[in-house]
């Protein structure tokens, strides 16, 4: 599966270029440096503008809803990508974390009059706390066992959810009223009650989450994560508290997933536990692997695969189960062809394209390497 | 709190299920020891086979034993094919990567099953073994021959596998390979053939488990696929090592899971049992690890 | 000064370190021994990756074993690995700055300290270069530079010259020799290259099968019969001795030098 991360590799992929004190100017390449630095943000700005303004005009409500789901799941995919790509931890339970966030948000939205933004923050924080609590004992497990325990915990949450259900305006801690005939919808923020408006709202929240992660990646945690990924012993020998940084990744991923859960509550308006299955966590991992764990664009692609394509297919009368099969094949392909690990899997043609684009820059400064 | 009499039928079911979980768990442990692959698609493959049998019996009116045989062979062949194609490709990778790859197979099978056998509301499929209808009484409780088979396959498989691994040439080879595939290969051992045997054997077991669970539990793709978690839990508690421990853990899981059913306050949460037990097992077994200095992650 | 007392490490049935007691005073100390002798295990105990079954280590007055592994770097324990572990995706600068970043050393001096360490080891490439693009020799230098930043107390070098061509080994030797005077840290050097060991280390200790079999001034230790035997075994040792004797005394011509070269050549 290709990911549109042509220029991403060197910029925000595994490295963090924020060395304190500023970077040494590339000799003779000053002009090239400025242009390239401006080009990427410009492209992103244009794309964002199009998505916010253009899409709602172009799409029918059906597809706008699907797009809102894409925004939500892009955040979740970002979190999972962070865990898998940066820290090397595979979580098979992110869908359960999402459902936790959605549950908290629904409860707060029904039970309190708090503004939507505060609720988002609260679901993010509460999910983060729970995620970290879980992460703490789980972190001493490595690789396979860690993945399995996330599967187990997610499964347990799924079962509990099937019994407690999502809040629907009832009273008590669980806020679930099993007898009510008329179930109120979950409320949305005042400024974004219509579907197109809520879509824009979700995109903006997503952008904020992406920026939050970006800030981490460019700074000290990002560098620490890169080190831990390559060699935990080297990281420890350099004084990095690997447990703390792993927990930090867990916490960050849980936080943004919790916020995404809040968005989901507002998007769906009615939450049913049947929509949060163990299989979804596996599908999520599949699309994140296919989209590319190492780039933020990959998260968006993953979300499109998981949420937009099924809607598209359904509209065309094709069963979305074909996609499930595709995702399975995708997982196998990604894992089988990744040379030294998923983290180094960049689509080869994209990398070549990138090298072509930067060939000019490289001629000016031979020490800058176009990554592949 | 239910009485002893109330528990009895659940104990019977629990033992039967535990036996099948043991069968599956042992299969997964042996395969893991021989290839380093934790075969998470075990349940899905068995489910697919069971559904094929159902289709053959109900639509083509094929003789049921033939249909079950086809299921078992199908599961064996699919597993073998997967192992022969993706085994060598991923041979050097981390166990995590190998296990994740089997999740890919799981998704393919799940998607295919949902396509071929959609759960159109109301129509429920079932596998009814002839042994469901005959049995005997143990005190107050009705025990069907299917229940007996369930427990029996678990016991037999554990014993046979244990003996196989210890006493036969193929078995000791598998144990050697569990230690180091490369070195075993240099000793002139036909590694690929041994692996093929392990894969095929595991597949056969998944087919058998698929039919039994399809009968004892439900013939539903998702349910059957994720029932693998119970066997997985048993295997993990046994640290993916001891066959005997896998058997014991599986029986306990089956019993606990089943016996929770009549307890009103807990019954809704009974599906949590394998998850919770597995999580506890994983954490308990790894409690001494200080640093997980893993190789490069995924 | 690092005082090791009765250190024992067991892995399952194998005793990797057997009741090891030795004191590393100051300056550059060598630690040699045949493959599997336990040298890297010893470093791993110092780093905190392996828990000893018994024994204690007192480093500069502090109980090292009580410290959490990641705190030891902050404390002043630095280390390089057998297969060099410079982080590929980071730049030279970011690699070397790692310890500085994760300890309480002030931000103000960071740039200066890092560039100073880079210069000390003699890295030619621009500090912003990604380590991934560097050759083996320079990567090793990055690893060493990383170990020297801040205020190191003890620098553990695990076969730093392994796989490097002669001139890079020579350069590395130069760097190692100057570590104590430039940083005030002591060095423990593990290597199979006996000329490197004799030229850098004033004292040397020898491990064989987890046991300490000799310790003292490098020249004497390298000529010690027991040490030669450990590398080669009985008669071969005598033969090596004879060869070395014929060539004359001195660092490179020691019996142990012969023995070590012989084992390296796959004897």
């Amino acid at each position: 599966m290709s990911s549109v991360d042509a220029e991403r590799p060197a910029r925000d992929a595994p490295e963090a270029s924020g060395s304190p004190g500023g970077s040494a100017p590339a000799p003779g390449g000053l002009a090239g440096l400025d242009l390239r630095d401006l080009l990427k943000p410009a492209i992103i700005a244009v794309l964002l503008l199009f998505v916010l303004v253009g899409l709602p005009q172009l799409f029918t409500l059906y597809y706008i809803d699907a797009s809102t789901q894409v925004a939500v799941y892009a955040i979740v995919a970002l979190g999972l990508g962070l865990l898998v790509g940066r820290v090397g931890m595979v979580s098979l339970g992110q869908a359960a974390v999402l459902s936790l966030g959605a549950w908290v948000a629904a409860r707060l939205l029904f039970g309190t009059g708090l503004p939507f933004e505060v609720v988002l923050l609260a679901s993010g924080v509460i999910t983060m706390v729970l995620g970290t609590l879980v992460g703490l004992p789980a972190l001493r497990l490595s690789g396979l066992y860690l993945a399995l325990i996330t599967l187990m915990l997610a499964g347990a949450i799924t079962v509990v959810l099937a019994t407690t259900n999502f809040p629907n305006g009832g009273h008590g801690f669980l806020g679930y009223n099993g007898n009510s005939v008329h179930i109120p919808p979950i409320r949305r923020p005042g400024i974004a009650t219509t579907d197109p408006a809520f879509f824009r709202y979700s995109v903006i929240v997503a952008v904020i989450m992406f920026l939050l992660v970006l800030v981490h990646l460019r700074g000290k945690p990002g560098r620490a994560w890169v080190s831990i990924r390559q060699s935990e012993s080297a990281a420890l020998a350099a004084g990095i508290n690997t447990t703390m940084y792993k927990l930090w990744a867990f916490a960050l991923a849980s936080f943004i997933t919790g916020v995404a859960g809040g968005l989901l509550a507002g998007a769906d308006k009615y939450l049913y536990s049947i929509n949060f299955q163990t299989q979804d966590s596996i599908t999520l991992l599949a699309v994140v692997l296919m989209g590319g764990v190492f780039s933020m664009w990959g998260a968006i692609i993953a979300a499109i695969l998981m949420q937009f394509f099924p809607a598209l297919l359904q509209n065309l009368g094709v069963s979305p189960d074909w996609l499930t099969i595709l995702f399975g094949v995708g997982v196998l392909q990604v894992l089988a062809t990744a040379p030294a690990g998923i983290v180094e899997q960049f689509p080869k043609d994209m990398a070549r394209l990138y090298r072509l684009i930067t060939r000019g820059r490289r001629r000016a400064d031979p020490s800058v390497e176009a990554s592949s | 709190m239910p009485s002893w009499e109330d528990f009895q039928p659940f104990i019977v079911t629990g033992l039967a299920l535990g036996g099948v979980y043991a069968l599956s768990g042992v299969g997964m442990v042996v395969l893991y020891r021989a290839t380093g692959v934790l075969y998470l698609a075990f349940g899905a493959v068995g489910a697919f086979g069971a559904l094929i049998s159902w289709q053959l019996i109900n639509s083509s009116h094929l003789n049921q034993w033939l249909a079950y045989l086809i299921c078992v062979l199908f599961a064996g062949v699919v597993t073998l094919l997967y192992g022969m194609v993706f085994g060598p490709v991923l041979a050097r990778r981390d166990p995590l990567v190998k296990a994740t790859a089997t999740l890919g197979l799981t998704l393919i099978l799940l998607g295919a099953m949902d396509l071929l056998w959609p759960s159109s509301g109301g129509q429920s499929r079932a596998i009814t073994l002839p042994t469901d209808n005959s049995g005997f009484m143990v005190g107050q409780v009705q025990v069907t021959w299917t229940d007996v088979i369930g427990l029996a396959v678990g016991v037999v498989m554990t014993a046979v596998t244990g003996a196989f691994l210890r006493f036969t040439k193929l078995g000791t080879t598998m144990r050697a390979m569990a230690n180091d595939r490369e070195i075993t290969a240099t000793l002139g051992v036909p590694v690929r053939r041994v692996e093929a045997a392990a894969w095929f054997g595991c597949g056969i077991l998944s087919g058998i488990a698929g039919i039994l669970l399809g009968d004892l539990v439900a013939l539903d793709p998702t349910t059957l696929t994720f029932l693998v978690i119970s066997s997985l839990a048993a295997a993990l508690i046994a640290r993916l090592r001891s066959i005997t421990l896998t058997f014991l853990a599986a029986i306990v899981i089956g019993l606990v899971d089943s016996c929770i059913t009549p307890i009103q306050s807990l019954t809704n949460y009974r599906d949590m049992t394998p998850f919770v037990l597995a999580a506890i097992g994983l954490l308990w077994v790894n409690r001494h690890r200080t640093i997980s200095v893993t190789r490069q992650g995924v | 000064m690092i005082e090791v007392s009765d250190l024992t490490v067991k892995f399952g049935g194998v005793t990797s370190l057997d009741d090891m007691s030795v004191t590393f005073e100051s300056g550059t100390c060598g630690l040699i021994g045949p493959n599997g002798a336990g040298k890297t295990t010893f470093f791993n105990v110092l780093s905190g990756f392996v828990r000893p079954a018994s024994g204690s280590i007192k480093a500069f007055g502090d109980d090292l074993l009580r410290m959490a592994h990641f705190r030891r770097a902050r404390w002043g324990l630095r280390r390089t690995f057998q297969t060099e572990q410079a982080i590929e995706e980071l730049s030279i600068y970011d690699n070397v700055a790692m310890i500085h970043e994760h300890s309480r050393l002030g931000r103000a001096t960071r740039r200066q300290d890092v560039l100073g360490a880079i210069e000390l080891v003699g890295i030619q490439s621009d500090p912003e270069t990604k380590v991934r693009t560097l050759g083996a020799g320079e990567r090793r230098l990055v690893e060493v530079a990383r170990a020297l930043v801040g205020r190191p107390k003890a620098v553990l070098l695990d076969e730093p010259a392994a796989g490097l061509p002669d001139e890079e080994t020579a350069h590395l030797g130069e760097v190692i020799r100057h570590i104590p005077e430039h940083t005030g840290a002591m060095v423990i050097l593990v290597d199979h290259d006996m000329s490197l060991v004799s030229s850098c280390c004033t004292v040397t200790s020898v491990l064989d099968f987890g046991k300490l079999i000799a310790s003292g001034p490098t020249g004497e230790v390298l000529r010690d019969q027991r040490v030669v035997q450990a590398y080669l075994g009985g008669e071969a040792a005598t033969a090596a001795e004879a060869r070395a004797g014929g060539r004359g005394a001195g660092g490179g011509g020691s019996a142990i030098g012969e023995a070590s070269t012989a084992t390296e050549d796959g004897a």
Side-chain angles (χ1 to χ4, degrees):
Chain A
M1 288 292 137
S2 69
S3 63
V4 187
D5 58 354
E7 300 125 85
R8 282 279 153 167
R11 267 317 237 18
D12 70 351
E15 52 136 312
S17 52
S19 0
S23 36
L30 212 52
L33 190 76
D34 281 351
L35 246 180
R36 198 184 73 135
D37 270 2
L38 283 179
L39 190 64
K40 200 118 65 103
I43 293 181
I44 297 175
V46 168
L47 269 171
L48 201 55
L49 214 60
F50 169 69
V51 166
L52 284 172
V53 176
L55 269 189
Q57 317 271 25
L58 290 173
F59 280 167
T60 60
L61 271 182
Y62 177 76
Y63 284 116
I64 289 180
D65 279 342
S67 305
T68 311
Q69 298 289 322
V70 170
V72 169
Y73 277 87
I75 303 174
V76 184
L78 183 67
L80 183 54
L82 175 73
L83 287 176
V84 175
R86 312 288 168 160
V87 198
M89 302 194 293
V90 170
S91 163
L92 289 172
Q94 290 307 96
V97 178
L98 179 66
S99 68
L100 258 179
W103 191 97
V104 171
R107 191 70 195 87
L108 289 175
L109 286 167
F110 275 128
T112 70
L114 291 169
F116 200 84
E117 294 74 25
V118 176
V119 171
L120 281 183
L121 208 59
S123 26
V125 169
I126 294 175
T127 311
M128 177 177 82
V129 168
L130 289 172
T132 317
L133 279 175
V134 161
L136 207 41
L139 275 180
R140 70 177 65 222
L141 302 174
S142 60
L144 180 59
Y145 288 158
L146 179 65
L148 290 173
I149 207 173
T150 57
L151 181 66
M152 300 304 160
L153 292 170
I157 292 176
T158 315
V159 174
V160 172
L161 198 59
T163 312
T164 62
N165 294 292
F166 280 99
N168 63 358
H171 298 296
F173 178 73
L174 290 180
Y176 177 69
N177 186 341
N179 303 318
S180 123
V181 175
H182 172 71
I183 303 169
I186 297 173
R187 69 179 155 93
R188 285 184 174 175
I191 50 167
T193 46
T194 66
D195 285 347
F198 193 78
F199 164 69
R200 292 194 184 97
Y201 187 89
S202 306
V203 171
I204 293 178
V205 172
V207 167
I208 296 174
M209 292 299 110
F210 271 66
L211 286 175
L212 179 65
V213 171
L214 192 64
V215 162
H216 277 83
L217 293 177
R218 291 285 171 92
K220 192 158 131 183
R223 288 193 288 277
W225 288 333
V226 164
S227 311
I228 295 173
R229 239 212 136 289
Q230 181 179 325
S231 164
E232 190 161 345
S233 27
L236 284 167
I240 294 178
N241 186 345
T242 55
T243 311
M244 183 188 86
Y245 279 99
K246 285 184 185 177
L247 265 179
W248 195 337
F250 236 76
L252 181 61
S254 306
F255 175 75
I256 62 177
T257 309
V259 170
L263 277 181
L264 190 62
D268 287 357
K269 290 198 278 195
Y270 300 96
L271 293 170
Y272 301 103
S273 57
I274 196 78
N275 293 333
F276 296 85
Q277 295 290 319
T278 311
Q279 184 177 339
D280 297 329
S281 287
I282 299 179
T283 309
L284 193 58
L285 178 64
V287 294
V288 165
L289 287 177
M290 287 162 72
V293 294
F294 233 29
S295 78
M296 295 174 100
W297 289 108
I300 299 176
I301 290 172
I304 293 176
L305 282 173
M306 190 181 178
Q307 297 300 325
F308 197 81
F309 276 36
L312 188 62
L313 284 187
Q314 203 136 41
N315 208 21
L316 297 174
V318 179
S319 167
D321 294 322
W322 284 108
L323 275 177
T324 311
I325 298 178
L326 181 70
F327 296 156
V329 173
V331 168
L332 289 171
Q333 192 254 3
V334 166
L335 293 180
T337 61
I342 293 172
V343 299
E344 252 133 75
Q345 189 191 2
F346 292 111
K348 295 199 182 105
D349 11 76
M350 284 302 157
R352 246 183 266 134
L353 183 64
Y354 176 63
R355 273 197 288 274
L356 253 142
I357 294 175
T358 58
R359 202 172 43 196
R361 174 138 197 259
R362 244 192 318 152
R363 267 198 233 112
D365 175 11
S367 72
V368 172
E369 158 96 345
S371 79
S372 69
Chain B
M1 193 64 183
S3 67
W4 170 241
E5 278 82 37
D6 296 327
F7 271 120
Q8 283 173 341
F10 294 103
I11 293 179
V12 171
T13 320
L15 286 173
L17 284 174
V20 184
Y21 296 157
L23 173 82
S24 317
V26 163
M28 283 199 282
V29 168
V30 171
L31 185 65
Y32 182 79
R33 299 293 287 156
T35 63
V37 179
L38 191 59
Y39 193 45
L40 298 172
F42 189 96
V45 171
F48 206 107
L51 280 165
I52 291 182
S53 302
W54 177 88
Q55 188 74 40
L56 291 172
I57 294 174
N58 289 58
S59 303
S60 315
H61 303 290
L62 194 64
N63 170 272
Q64 59 177 335
W65 295 112
L66 196 54
Y68 299 145
L69 183 64
I70 292 178
C71 160
V72 171
L73 283 176
F74 169 82
V77 167
V78 165
T79 308
L80 176 66
L81 279 176
Y82 175 84
M84 290 296 100
V85 171
F86 290 98
V89 169
L90 297 171
R92 281 197 197 177
R93 309 288 292 279
D94 207 66
L96 173 60
V97 174
K98 294 182 188 175
T100 310
T102 64
L103 284 179
L105 178 61
T106 309
L107 281 178
I108 295 175
L109 291 170
L110 271 172
M113 281 190 282
D114 283 335
L115 258 183
L116 292 170
W117 295 285
S119 49
S120 41
Q123 179 198 26
S124 73
R125 308 177 183 94
I127 286 199
T128 332
L129 292 166
T131 47
D132 281 0
N133 302 321
S134 58
F136 49 91
M137 299 295 284
V138 173
Q140 306 279 41
V141 194
Q142 164 83 353
V143 177
T144 68
W145 283 113
T146 314
D147 294 324
V148 175
I149 293 178
L151 182 58
V153 293
V155 173
V156 167
M157 200 30 53
T158 310
V160 165
T161 311
F164 168 76
L165 287 177
R166 189 161 300 184
F167 300 122
T168 68
K169 193 153 163 247
L170 191 59
T172 39
T173 311
M174 278 192 198
R175 283 166 69 204
M177 277 169 59
N179 284 327
D180 198 311
R181 189 179 189 266
E182 312 276 319
I183 292 182
T184 319
T186 63
L187 293 176
V189 171
V191 161
R192 291 211 58 173
R193 259 190 274 156
V194 175
E195 282 181 344
W199 283 104
F200 188 68
C202 188
I204 298 279
L205 293 182
S206 88
I208 298 175
I211 294 175
L212 285 170
L213 289 174
D215 177 298
L216 289 167
V217 182
L219 188 57
D220 163 67
T222 314
T223 311
L224 283 180
T225 301
F226 289 103
L227 264 181
V228 73
I229 305 248
S230 300
S231 331
L232 183 61
L236 288 173
I237 291 172
R239 306 179 89 157
L240 295 172
R241 221 168 275 169
S242 153
I243 309 275
T244 329
L245 206 50
T246 308
F247 172 77
L248 291 170
I251 298 288
V252 168
I253 291 175
L255 279 173
V256 171
D257 189 12
S258 188
C259 288
I260 284 184
T261 319
I263 302 178
Q264 282 296 60
S265 51
L266 292 178
T267 189
N268 284 325
Y269 300 103
R270 65 162 286 197
D271 288 337
M272 267 174 85
T273 321
F275 297 116
V276 171
L277 288 175
I280 294 176
L282 273 172
L283 290 173
W284 174 254
V285 151
N286 283 284
R287 68 192 182 281
H288 285 315
R289 304 195 62 175
T290 45
I291 163 186
S292 54
V293 189
T294 52
R295 289 188 278 155
Q296 279 65 337
V298 196
Chain C
M1 168 156 95
I2 297 186
E3 267 176 74
V4 182
S5 314
D6 310 314
L7 197 65
T8 303
V9 174
K10 294 197 210 237
F11 288 122
V14 179
T15 306
S16 296
L17 287 179
D18 196 349
D19 219 20
M20 178 185 175
S21 293
V22 64
T23 301
F24 298 95
E25 301 269 350
S26 64
T28 314
C29 313
L31 179 62
I32 63 175
N35 280 322
K39 314 184 290 292
T40 303
T41 307
F42 175 60
F43 272 11
N44 283 339
V45 173
L46 285 173
S47 291
F49 302 151
V50 169
R51 271 218 204 109
S54 61
S56 70
I57 301 183
K58 240 175 147 208
F60 297 88
D62 295 321
D63 186 349
L64 197 64
L65 294 180
R66 235 177 241 290
M67 262 185 256
H69 37 36
F70 66 90
R71 284 200 211 288
R72 299 186 193 186
R74 229 175 275 185
W75 171 89
L77 183 77
R78 305 299 165 74
R79 165 173 188 178
T80 67
F81 293 82
Q82 264 182 326
T83 1
E84 56 75 24
Q85 298 287 353
I87 305 297
E88 296 192 333
E89 295 302 330
L90 297 178
S91 65
I92 297 179
Y93 185 95
D94 285 332
N95 259 285
V96 178
M98 262 163 76
I99 293 179
H100 215 285
E101 258 204 307
H102 294 274
S103 58
R104 292 222 175 95
L105 301 164
R107 266 200 101 154
T109 58
R110 188 172 303 166
R111 189 158 181 80
Q112 198 182 315
D113 287 345
V114 171
L115 292 177
I118 292 179
E119 206 185 303
L120 188 62
V121 302
I123 293 176
Q124 308 285 10
S125 304
D126 179 71
E128 294 305 316
T129 330
K130 286 254 185 55
V131 164
R132 194 191 328 130
T133 66
L134 301 176
E138 249 190 325
R139 289 194 199 198
R140 178 62 82 188
L141 289 178
V142 172
E143 219 197 351
V144 174
R146 185 170 67 198
L148 301 183
V149 140
R151 285 186 286 275
K153 291 199 175 87
V155 180
L156 312 175
L157 302 171
D158 199 346
E159 296 189 41
L164 293 181
D166 286 340
E167 65 215 34
E168 299 193 26
T169 306
H171 173 74
L172 198 55
E174 267 295 307
V175 173
I176 295 174
R177 263 194 295 283
H178 288 114
I179 292 179
E181 74 183 73
H182 277 137
T183 64
M186 63 171 284
V187 176
I188 303 182
L189 171 67
V190 163
D191 211 291
H192 284 296
D193 185 334
M194 290 307 146
S195 50
L196 182 68
V197 173
S198 8
S199 64
C200 294
C201 310
T202 44
V203 291
T204 300
S205 307
V206 187
L207 281 179
D208 185 28
F209 285 115
K211 277 185 158 30
L212 189 75
I213 58 173
S215 186
T218 308
E220 279 173 35
V221 165
L222 292 183
R223 282 194 290 276
D224 190 321
Q225 261 293 72
R226 286 170 299 169
V227 174
V228 178
Q229 262 178 7
Y231 269 93
L232 273 191
E235 307 96 57
T238 331
E241 178 82 27
R243 273 203 298 277
R247 202 167 298 167
S254 72
I256 193 60
E258 285 289 329
S260 156
T261 329
T263 46
E264 261 180 67
D265 292 341

